Amino acid sequence: MIDPIDKLVYDRAMLVPRGMDGTSARKTLQAIREALGAVTEDAFDAGNLSNVINAQIAAIQVNPDALHGALRVAITGSTQPADIYQAMELLGKDRTIGRLQHAIRELMVVA
């Protein structure tokens, strides 16, 4: 169950970066969600999250800028520059995963 505070309100199209369609954005966020799900609570820090996500970027061969754009919207609700890894660390694992899950559900509507 996602806490209502983690149901960010944004235009669904913001989750689909240039060069991707809704389906590829959703699948990319799903891959990130799965990778983050394997990170233990005590390892859920900005440095480790950066390593995990960069490994996923290489594994799924996605444009890093596109992924970071979709991830930024999913986590912060905004396209404004932010340290996404620091934001995820501050939110914690459960809230970060919840926000990703909410974004994935939003993309199922448009994909």
Side-chain angles (χ1 to χ4, degrees):
M1 175 94 179
I2 299 173
D3 188 324
I5 198 168
D6 289 317
K7 286 188 176 181
L8 300 177
V9 177
Y10 43 73
D11 181 356
R12 288 182 190 107
M14 291 170 47
L15 290 166
V16 183
R18 195 171 313 154
M20 288 183 140
D21 60 20
T23 300
S24 61
R26 178 177 45 82
K27 288 180 179 180
T28 299
L29 289 177
Q30 286 172 325
I32 295 299
R33 182 198 60 207
E34 289 174 25
L36 293 179
V39 177
T40 61
E41 288 284 342
D42 61 324
F44 208 83
D45 61 70
N48 193 44
L49 295 172
S50 175
N51 292 337
V52 168
I53 290 173
N54 286 328
Q56 279 300 305
I57 288 170
I60 61 178
Q61 299 180 344
V62 66
N63 178 309
D65 292 334
L67 173 93
H68 285 112
L71 190 58
R72 184 175 295 110
V73 173
I75 299 302
T76 69
S78 173
T79 58
Q80 296 300 312
D83 183 338
I84 195 65
Y85 304 115
Q86 188 68 37
M88 290 188 294
E89 179 179 347
L90 292 171
L91 284 169
K93 182 177 179 176
D94 291 341
R95 290 184 69 196
T96 296
I97 300 284
R99 287 186 182 193
L100 284 169
Q101 187 59 39
H102 174 69
I104 291 163
R105 284 188 187 124
E106 289 294 307
L107 284 168
M108 286 182 175
V109 174
V110 296

